[in-house]
């Protein structure tokens, strides 16, 4: 997710940094799976993307994006060393997936809370917006690759201005034309629970290249 988002934003002329625990170790890492480039090769192709410690990457950024695995999101945000009064917008694309029992995964939190709510609770001054977690990474940044972009992105969050800012980013930087606000951060319970169906569809279709369209 982070590579796809960073590459798309860099192509759009945005200045950005990718956060990691250890930049040197990240740059030395092998390919995540067969057929994909190593991080060093990816970075060579996207030299304007700065790689830094989580705290250094977050420092001074106008917008924060959490594109980490849901199991470590809270720990990573703690390492970002955000100040108690930080009121920046945080776009949260993570999902609380638990693969400990194999595929398909279960959720680490569900029903009465969500990862989005946990992030908002841990950082009450941040303006957290949940979005992009319902599609594969390639569609996050290029919805037109499927059905000409005729499908729907769902978002939620407690701050109306933050949701408007994220909606504009989705439209202008990634090309989403149908963005639907489903309410406050409690709606993240539904957005995250959709991954239980998404992973089943992935297994049935043998491709992540699908999405949903809200017909109304």
């Amino acid at each position: 997710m982070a590579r796809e988002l960073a590459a798309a934003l860099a192509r759009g002329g945005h200045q950005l940094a990718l956060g990691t625990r250890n930049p040197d170790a990240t740059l030395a890492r092998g390919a995540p799976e067969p057929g994909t480039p190593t991080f060093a090769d990816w970075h060579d192709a996207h030299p304007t993307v700065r790689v830094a410690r989580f705290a250094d990457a977050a420092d001074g950024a106008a917008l924060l994006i959490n594109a980490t695995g849901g199991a470590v999101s809270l720990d990573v945000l703690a390492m970002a060393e955000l100040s108690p009064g930080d009121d920046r917008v945080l776009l949260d694309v993570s999902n609380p997936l638990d693969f400990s029992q194999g595929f398909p995964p279960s959720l680490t939190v569900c029903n009465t809370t969500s990862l989005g709510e946990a992030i908002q609770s841990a950082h009450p001054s941040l303006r957290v917006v949940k979005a992009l977690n319902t599609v594969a990474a390639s569609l996050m940044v290029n919805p037109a690759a499927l059905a000409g972009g005729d499908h729907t992105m769902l978002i939620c969050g407690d701050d109306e201005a933050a949701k408007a800012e994220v909606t504009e980013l989705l439209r202008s930087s990634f090309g989403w034309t149908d963005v639907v606000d489903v309410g406050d951060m409690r709606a993240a319970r539904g957005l995250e629970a959709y991954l239980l169906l998404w992973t089943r569809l992935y297994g049935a279709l043998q491709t992540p290249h699908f999405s949903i369209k809200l017909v109304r």
Side-chain angles (χ1 to χ4, degrees):
M1 294 187 299
R3 291 191 192 191
E4 292 280 4
L5 291 165
L9 290 170
R11 286 193 297 269
H14 295 276
Q15 293 184 332
L16 65 150
L18 279 178
T20 180
R21 288 180 177 85
N22 185 323
D24 291 335
T26 297
L27 288 166
R29 190 175 299 156
E33 56 187 49
T36 60
T38 66
F39 187 85
D41 288 339
W42 179 89
H43 190 248
D44 286 343
H46 304 87
T48 63
V49 178
R50 186 165 60 92
V51 182
R53 292 175 55 254
F54 288 119
D56 295 330
D59 185 35
L63 173 75
L64 304 171
I65 300 177
N66 174 38
T68 64
V72 299
S73 289
L74 290 171
D75 292 336
V76 167
L77 288 170
M79 285 186 279
E81 300 175 7
L82 306 176
S83 65
D86 195 329
D87 64 352
R88 285 177 290 179
V89 175
L90 171 69
L91 169 55
D92 175 35
V93 306
S94 63
N95 283 303
L97 299 177
D98 179 2
F99 288 95
S100 63
Q101 302 302 313
F103 189 92
S106 59
L107 301 179
T108 59
V109 293
C110 60
N111 296 329
T112 58
T113 189
S114 64
L115 179 58
E117 288 171 275
I119 291 172
Q120 184 65 86
S121 179
H123 303 276
S125 63
L126 287 180
R127 296 179 292 149
V128 183
V129 179
K130 191 85 178 186
L132 296 176
N133 71 304
T134 54
V135 294
S138 59
L139 290 178
M140 289 180 184
V141 300
N142 186 21
L146 176 67
D150 187 21
H151 44 109
T152 305
M153 177 50 58
L154 305 175
I155 72 169
C156 67
D158 294 334
D159 188 281
E160 297 300 322
K163 287 188 286 189
E165 183 175 331
V166 168
T167 297
E168 175 57 27
L169 178 73
L170 297 178
R171 295 185 192 279
S172 62
S173 293
F174 303 143
W176 285 93
T177 57
D178 188 26
V179 180
V180 176
D181 178 359
V182 295
D184 62 35
M185 187 52 75
R186 290 173 296 179
R189 302 172 194 181
L191 270 62
E192 294 172 6
Y194 169 68
L195 266 292
L196 297 176
L197 175 59
W198 190 96
T199 52
R200 287 289 183 174
L201 289 169
Y202 175 79
L205 300 172
Q206 292 296 293
T207 177
H209 199 66
F210 61 88
S211 184
I212 58 174
K213 175 177 172 59
L214 183 61
V215 180
R216 73 270 198 197

